[in-house]
Each structure stands twice: as C-alpha cells, then as structure tokens.
Amino acid sequence: MKYQNNPPDASALMTSARSFGNYDLSSALADLLDNSIKAKARSIEIKCIRKDDGPEVRILDDGSGMSANELHRAMRPASTNPDDERARDDLGRFGWGMKSASLSQCRLLTVVTRHDGVLSGASWDLDDLADWKMGVLEPEEIKALADQRLLERDGTEVIWCKCDRLSEFGQVGGKGFNDIVAHAKAQLSLIFHRYLGGEEGLRKLKVNFNGDALKPADPFFRHHDATQAQPKETLTLDGQPIEVQAFILPHYSKITAGEHDRLGAEEGFVRNQGFYVYRQHRLIIHGTWFRLVKHGELSQLVRIAINIPNSLDAMWKITLDKADAQLPSGLKSRLKDIVDGLKRKSGKVFQSRGGRVRNEAGKTSVWAKYVRNGEVRYYLNREHPLIAGMLDDDDKDRAKAFAAALGIIEDCFPVVSIGEDYSSRPEMMNQSVVDRSTFIEKLDAALPSLLLHVGGNMKTLHEIVASTEPWSNHADIVLTHLKDKGWN
Ligand SMILES: Nc1ncnc2c1ncn2[C@@H]1O[C@H](COP(=O)(O)OP(=O)(O)OP(=O)(O)O)[C@@H](O)[C@H]1O
Ligand SMILES: [Mg+2]
C-alpha cells in the first residue's frame, strides 16, 4: 500500500463544523464561558449588539489570556485530542468549542488576547478560507479592534462578526433577536448558577450580559424554607466520585407567583422535573429522568442534582456542545434506589393538598358524600357554582346532557380502583394540580361562567371563589389573579 496526504477542504470542513453539536446562542456562549472559566477568569462581559450591518457579539474575560503560540494552537480545529487527560477544573474536552460554537452563530471569528502583557490576535473567515488561511492580526489592528480594557490587563476577547445565524432573528421587527438574547441570559444564569453563586468552593464568577449582571438561577430553590433538601450521597463509578442530592420543591401555594414562574422557567414544571446533571458544577443537561421514572410516577416537584467529574466524559458520552449526555448503565440501579426512596416523600408534599371530601360549614366542595343505612355514595355537588351554572343552561337539551354526564361520572366512579391504589401506593396518587399556571388556566376557563352565575356582581364573585373548591384552597392566588385582571 502507498500513502498520500488527503486533507479535508478547509472551507467545506469549517462550514460543516457550523453544525457540529446542536448549538443555539446560549449553548454557544456557554462553551466560550467554559474556556474563560478554565482560564481562571473572574469577570466576563458579553455584548450582543445590533449594528447596521447585522448583529455582533463580543465576549471579554479577564482570564490568563494566551501567548501568540497558544492562540495559534487554540484556533486550530480539533486543537486537542478528546482522549487526553484534562485538569480537574478544565471544562473543555474536544478541542473544538471555541471554533464550532462561534461558527455556529457567525461567519467571521476573531480572537484577541493578552498574556503577560503581550497582545495577539487571529481570525477565521468562512468566506476566505482557501488552504487553511488564518488571519493573524497586526498590533495596530488589535488595538483598533479590541476592547480598551484588554490593552491594560491580561484576558481574552472573542468577537463574532457576520452573524448570519443571528440575523435571521433580527428580521421580524427586531423582536426575535431580543427574545433569543433574553433566553440566553436566562439559560446562562441557570447553566453557571454554581459559579455565579461562588458555591462548592468555586471561584466566584461575575457575568455581565448587555449591561445586566447575571444572577444565579438556583433550580432547587434552596434558600426557601419549604424546599426539602435530601442528604447528599456520593456514588462511585470507575473509582470516581459522583455526588447526588435530591430536592423536593415547595408546593406552589407556598411560593409567590414570580418565584413559581422562575422555577418553571420557559418550559413549565413538567419539563423541568428530573435529573440536573452537572459536569464539574456546570449544568449540562436537565429535565430528564433517563427513563428511570415512568410518567407521573414521581411528583413534578422533585429535582435531583448529579455532579460528575470530567474524567468520566467518555462514560457519560458528553456531546460536543456539552448539552447532552447518557446515563452510564453502571449507575442506573443506584439512581433508581434513590428515586424509589423519594417516591413516598414527594407524594406527601403533593398529597397534603386537597383530595379529601370536606363538607365544612361555609365552604362549597366539588365532591360530597352521604352515608346512609350503612351505604356510602360520592356525588358531585350540584350547588357548586360552575356545575350549577351548567345545569342552568338556557339550552335545556344541553343542560340535560350535562346532568346525564354528571350522573354517569358518579355511577362509574372508580371506587375500588382508587381504594386499591390508595392502600398499596398512596405516594403515587397524583390528582391535584401542582402547576400554578395550569391552576390559573383552569380558573380562567371557569371565570366567564362564574361571572354569569353571579350576575356580574364582583363582590359575590370574590366571595364565591374564596369559599369554593378548588379555588378556596389557594384563595390568595385567585384573588391576586382577579386583581391582575382588574376584576376588583
Ligand atoms: N478565553 C480563553 N482564555 C484562555 N485560553 C482560551 C480561551 N478560550 C480558549 N482558550 C484556549 O483555547 C483552547 C481551545 O479551546 P476550545 O474551546 O476550542 O477547545 P477546548 O476547550 O480544549 O475543548 P472543547 O471543544 O471541549 O471546548 C483551550 O483549550 C484553551 O487552551
Ligand atoms: Mg472549550
């Protein structure tokens, strides 16, 4: 056999590198922040600005910077072998991040850096890449381009120009661009919350994004009295420690609307339950149960933090964009034990809300029961204003059909099945709403009919919701919502 060199075409390879990983603006910026953290930065400034010729993004850190040689090596695609051992606090793995993350968003990447007082700069331009031609900036060009602070102290500035992927968002009246910037701020506050909070003995990191200082977004709400933190456990895999700690979040009735929205974030509570996997305290994946938990088996209020060292990257199959990982089979049964232990506990938080037929004086319940001659029967309360309203429908046929529907729901009430489930696995009974927005959505759907029922009288409406299930269980939430709607 003979051998001959067969290198890739520069332009083709770098253009396909744009699609390595599944980057969006947040995960691309996160990859750059990883590099700054590794370079011991304490302060990072991100600017995403709209210029006449399209968006421009700059990420400036005060880390150790790079010498000209280091920069040259760092700009090279696949600058390190993923199989190489990394320092414990190194958040890198593939030798691609700075290039692939940047080029996923822009066509012109420039890096200017200062190390031990010496400035260097280099760039890759996807539109001018023939034969791996990297731009090396002259001192005057660096001075004209770099942030002034870099001329005075060590650090690195990554600059994205020709942001074609970001400009796609700028076109719809500019709103899309602001939305993805807001999304990126929220994501970075979550991904790096342990660094932003200076937790776990980490060097505290300050990140300023378009003038806003990012605040740590703790997904476990640990500062709240009603959050139940379970004891920390350390599992081992391949001789390496994996820290696991579960949290049961407070029920929504115990937190404010703002807090609830923050915890549910953009995707809501259901999407945000599950494992939160951190790699060296940087969040890489959340909102998954790795198929260890069946839907609805655990309360939506459970979140479990797992911290893995970078030495286990291969076992976890960390992806290039550091946004996905797979649970190693050697950990499955041990995590399942932890999850099983939690089922009972989270059921209690969940269950302490509603579920019992209460016929208290002055309160209108949804279900009622009567016990007569040794016989117990559950029935839907015809006096409940929402039910009464429907039974009162001017369209008599519709009212009749509704009454028939109530009748069959009662006749076929699954008493035996409920009894069996309750006695064998009470912690899994999962009937009431745990999501504040779902509660409000259902309230909103009921309000027009209630208003009709009270003849438009706001005072009576307030009295009704304060004394009628399920709204009376969370009267403060309902009354605040009515106030927000201007229904005083
Ligand atoms: N802000 C920075 N300050 C100092 N050095 C940096 C900075 N950004 C990148 N580097 C250097 O450039 C190298 C290449 O970075 P790059 O993100 O491309 O790969 P990586 O971090 O090694 O691995 P990964 O692909 O997993 O991110 C880094 O290993 C680091 O030495
Ligand atoms: Mg990196």
Side-chain angles (χ1 to χ4, degrees):
M1 189 165 20
K2 287 191 303 189
Y3 292 98
Q4 72 179 62
N5 273 347
N6 188 7
D9 175 77
S11 179
L13 181 75
M14 291 297 256
T15 304
S16 36
R18 309 194 81 189
S19 310
F20 290 177
N22 193 12
Y23 289 105
D24 60 2
L25 177 64
S26 341
S27 50
L29 288 171
D31 227 333
L32 296 190
L33 263 51
D34 284 350
N35 290 341
S36 300
I37 290 171
K38 180 204 167 190
K40 302 198 171 14
R42 288 180 180 278
S43 171
I44 299 174
E45 186 178 270
I46 305 171
K47 276 195 211 152
C48 280
I49 42 173
R50 256 180 294 178
K51 294 185 132 186
D52 291 342
D53 53 351
E56 183 182 286
V57 179
R58 287 173 173 253
I59 303 98
L60 171 70
D61 72 40
D62 63 353
S64 52
M66 288 171 266
S67 66
N69 274 342
E70 283 167 339
L71 174 64
H72 197 102
R73 205 173 328 122
M75 290 296 278
R76 192 180 301 149
S79 47
T80 21
N81 189 323
D83 289 341
D84 288 355
E85 202 173 311
R86 295 263 184 167
R88 212 169 60 87
D89 62 349
D90 190 344
L91 294 170
R93 168 57 54 198
F94 300 97
W96 262 108
M98 187 171 78
K99 289 74 68 175
S100 56
S102 301
L103 297 175
S104 76
Q105 308 296 308
C106 73
R107 300 186 69 82
L108 172 57
L109 159 68
T110 308
V111 181
V112 278
T113 182
R114 181 180 190 266
H115 177 72
D116 282 347
V118 181
L119 282 159
S120 326
S123 66
W124 284 121
D125 185 345
L126 284 187
D127 298 316
D128 189 11
L129 257 187
D131 215 11
W132 294 109
K133 210 170 57 180
M134 181 180 83
V136 178
L137 276 69
E138 299 292 341
E140 313 78 62
E141 289 175 307
I142 296 173
K143 284 191 183 126
L145 181 70
D147 188 283
Q148 284 305 301
R149 282 163 285 182
L150 204 57
L151 308 181
E152 285 146 25
R153 52 139 175 85
D154 285 358
T156 299
E157 186 173 27
V158 176
I159 305 168
W160 301 345
C161 297
K162 299 202 257 182
C163 295
D164 54 346
R165 297 270 165 90
L166 287 174
S167 354
E168 286 164 17
F169 292 96
Q171 284 163 8
V172 203
K175 188 171 177 296
F177 183 74
N178 292 342
D179 283 351
I180 54 164
V181 168
H183 174 75
K185 283 182 186 174
Q187 285 299 107
L188 295 178
S189 305
L190 175 66
I191 294 173
F192 293 100
H193 76 93
R194 289 183 172 176
Y195 287 87
L196 293 166
E199 289 176 33
E200 315 275 349
L202 300 169
R203 204 179 311 109
K204 189 167 174 155
L205 181 69
K206 275 199 245 162
V207 179
N208 187 296
F209 195 151
N210 276 8
D212 290 334
L214 297 189
K215 293 195 195 72
D218 175 10
F220 311 111
F221 229 49
R222 282 168 296 172
H223 66 278
H224 202 283
D225 290 345
T227 296
Q228 298 177 23
Q230 308 302 308
K232 248 188 200 171
E233 295 188 43
T234 306
L235 310 177
T236 46
L237 184 66
D238 210 22
Q240 303 290 319
I242 295 183
E243 295 144 27
V244 183
Q245 188 175 20
F247 298 87
I248 304 175
L249 267 51
H251 187 270
Y252 69 82
S253 57
K254 294 198 173 143
I255 55 180
T256 65
E259 289 170 333
H260 185 272
D261 288 349
R262 192 142 48 80
L263 278 173
E266 290 158 357
E267 312 100 336
F269 257 78
V270 182
R271 182 72 184 79
N272 280 321
Q273 61 180 321
F275 291 112
Y276 281 66
V277 182
Y278 294 79
R279 177 171 170 272
Q280 179 54 23
H281 305 296
R282 180 268 217 224
L283 185 64
I284 49 173
I285 181 171
H286 73 280
T288 172
W289 282 120
F290 293 119
R291 293 201 237 146
L292 285 184
V293 177
K294 288 199 204 96
H295 179 72
E297 210 179 12
L298 257 185
S299 146
Q300 294 166 21
L301 300 174
V302 176
R303 299 182 180 186
I304 305 177
I306 303 182
N307 186 51
I308 54 174
N310 63 8
S311 48
L312 292 175
D313 282 351
M315 281 200 171
W316 280 85
K317 301 201 174 72
I318 302 291
T319 56
L320 191 118
D321 54 8
K322 320 276 183 337
D324 205 1
Q326 285 173 32
L327 182 64
S329 53
L331 271 187
K332 271 190 187 147
S333 67
R334 281 174 288 165
L335 286 180
K336 186 99 176 70
D337 289 345
I338 293 179
V339 165
D340 285 344
L342 273 170
K343 280 182 192 162
R344 178 154 290 114
K345 285 184 184 148
S346 76
K348 278 191 199 134
V349 179
F350 199 61
Q351 234 175 356
S352 60
R353 310 276 136 193
R356 190 178 285 273
V357 174
R358 281 179 303 221
N359 294 325
E360 290 169 40
K363 294 260 170 177
T364 309
S365 59
V366 175
W367 285 96
K369 70 174 174 183
Y370 64 64
V371 185
R372 204 167 50 196
N373 301 335
E375 183 189 276
V376 181
R377 185 174 163 84
Y378 289 87
Y379 62 95
L380 283 159
N381 183 5
R382 304 312 194 256
E383 310 278 302
H384 189 284
L386 198 59
I387 297 176
M390 306 243 346
L391 290 170
D392 234 11
D393 200 316
D394 287 340
D395 180 336
K396 292 297 160 218
D397 285 338
R398 204 155 54 196
K400 251 187 177 165
F402 182 68
L406 293 186
I408 59 168
I409 293 170
E410 291 162 344
D411 294 347
C412 302
F413 188 63
V415 182
V416 176
S417 166
I418 291 175
E420 278 172 4
D421 287 338
Y422 193 77
S423 59
S424 64
R425 39 194 170 175
E427 74 283 358
M428 284 171 61
M429 301 289 284
N430 184 344
Q431 197 73 21
S432 53
V433 180
V434 284
D435 187 281
R436 188 187 195 111
S437 51
T438 311
F439 178 77
I440 289 182
E441 220 172 85
K442 291 185 173 176
L443 167 67
D444 267 334
L447 280 176
S449 163
L450 291 180
L451 196 61
L452 205 65
H453 183 73
V454 297
N457 185 324
M458 281 298 163
K459 189 161 170 277
T460 321
L461 179 76
H462 277 75
E463 284 166 6
I464 281 193
V465 290
S467 62
T468 303
E469 257 193 348
W471 312 300
S472 57
N473 298 339
H474 309 300
D476 46 340
I477 295 177
V478 176
L479 296 178
T480 314
H481 183 63
L482 291 179
K483 208 162 148 206
D484 291 347
K485 286 170 84 78
W487 288 25
N488 294 320

